[in-house]
Amino acid sequence: MRIDVGIGEFKYSKNPEDVIKTYGLGSCVALVVWSHKLGQAGLIHVALPEAEVNPVKAKALPGYFADTGIPMIVDWVDKVSGGNRKMFNYRIYGGASI
């Protein structure tokens, strides 16, 4: 199954056959985490660094901001791996100066 991740969204899969995608990164950043051993992966599409610019949006869509979204994906990694973050690989994509 293909899983599309929009701006500010965090999605994950427990099925190693799934494909997780996002589009139009530009200046946005995608943080991708995956574990071959666990057969799980997650992706968050972050648009802005700090939630203080729009606290209402941060509450509704925490993945939109790095300071609220990244802790969310780290919490997921901790939950899935039992706190063993070394079971996962991490990559960051995007962040162009446009």
Side-chain angles (χ1 to χ4, degrees):
M1 178 169 74
R2 184 178 89 187
I3 300 170
D4 292 328
V5 181
I7 298 172
E9 292 183 331
F10 165 57
K11 294 188 181 175
Y12 63 89
S13 174
K14 296 178 180 181
N15 182 348
E17 301 297 316
D18 287 347
V19 175
I20 304 174
K21 292 181 147 191
T22 194
Y23 301 93
L25 284 176
S27 62
C28 294
V29 173
L31 173 58
V32 181
V33 299
W34 74 96
S35 171
H36 289 290
K37 185 174 185 175
L38 297 173
Q40 298 193 40
L43 186 151
I44 189 167
H45 186 142
V46 177
L48 295 172
E50 296 177 336
E52 69 182 21
V53 298
N54 191 336
V56 173
K57 187 170 204 158
K59 190 165 180 90
L61 202 58
Y64 199 86
F65 303 96
D67 63 349
T68 52
I70 291 174
M72 184 172 58
I73 198 169
V74 170
D75 287 346
W76 176 78
V77 166
D78 285 344
K79 179 181 173 189
V80 169
S81 69
N84 186 358
R85 295 177 185 169
K86 290 182 179 183
M87 292 180 76
F88 277 81
N89 295 288
Y90 305 84
R91 296 291 184 274
I92 297 175
Y93 299 96
S97 178
I98 55 175

